[in-house]
Amino acid sequence: MLRGPAGLLFAGLVLGAAACGQTAPVQSYKIVATFPHDPKAFTEGLEFKDGALYESTGLNGESSLRKVDLTTGKVLKNVPLSTLYFGEGITFFGPRLYQLTYHNGITFVYDPATLEKKPESFHYTGEGWSLTHDAKHLIMDDGSSSLRILDPATFAELSRLPVRDGTRPVSNLNELEYIEGEIWANIWMTERIARIDPRSGQVTAWVDLTGLERIAGCTENCDVLNGIAYDGARKRIFVTGKRWPKLFQIEAVPKGK
């Protein structure tokens, strides 16, 4: 994988969970609808706004910002990044669409209506993995067990929110989405999404998406689950993965349903 020795990281997650225990309940999922997804898209960020999907793709030489038709999967607009950059998470806030980069410490800014890149940009230390926001702040992760709370106007870091399941830190926080007062986060190298209380940082529930990659018809070219988008107007949650040929609308349901 691209973010270090994946086997060791995954082993650490499993051993950490076993050693410290898990307190949050585990939910399953129901597929509500299935949509096509570009199997060449190495999904790093996913958003839904004004009836369209917006997607940030990664890998140097393949990174882009896209506007996508949900129903057909057709790319309506594609803004490629320079080969110098590995695209990461995106989010809309006010008059800006923000896009992180993995190792460069640069956040690109776009006009949300046209996807034209603005002359302004922001800088941060460390890695950039994903972005979302609440009513006042941007929320960023870097693959650690903490979320960065940022000023949308300056990208200045205001605070950090440690994320835990009980007393256990939850690391490898990846793609983020703010959904009805919760932060949903893919956990890299797993098939789970953490539902996080933004006030305490506690995981309130896990959504276990085991089997979804197989249902997507993935082949050896597929990579991990990554990508959460929310249609607030119609209360729809969308998920996909890197190079997955399908994107799903899901609902979280109790285990066994």
Side-chain angles (χ1 to χ4, degrees), residues 198-209:
R199 296 170 296 276
S200 66
Q202 282 291 316
V203 175
T204 60
W206 296 94
V207 184
D208 185 355
L209 298 180

Side-chain angles (χ1 to χ4, degrees), residues 116-138:
E116 291 184 6
K117 189 179 290 184
K118 294 188 175 187
E120 64 178 330
S121 61
F122 297 103
H123 296 265
Y124 53 88
T125 59
E127 296 180 354
W129 283 35
S130 185
L131 271 178
T132 190
H133 67 86
D134 60 17
K136 295 182 178 180
H137 304 112
L138 299 179

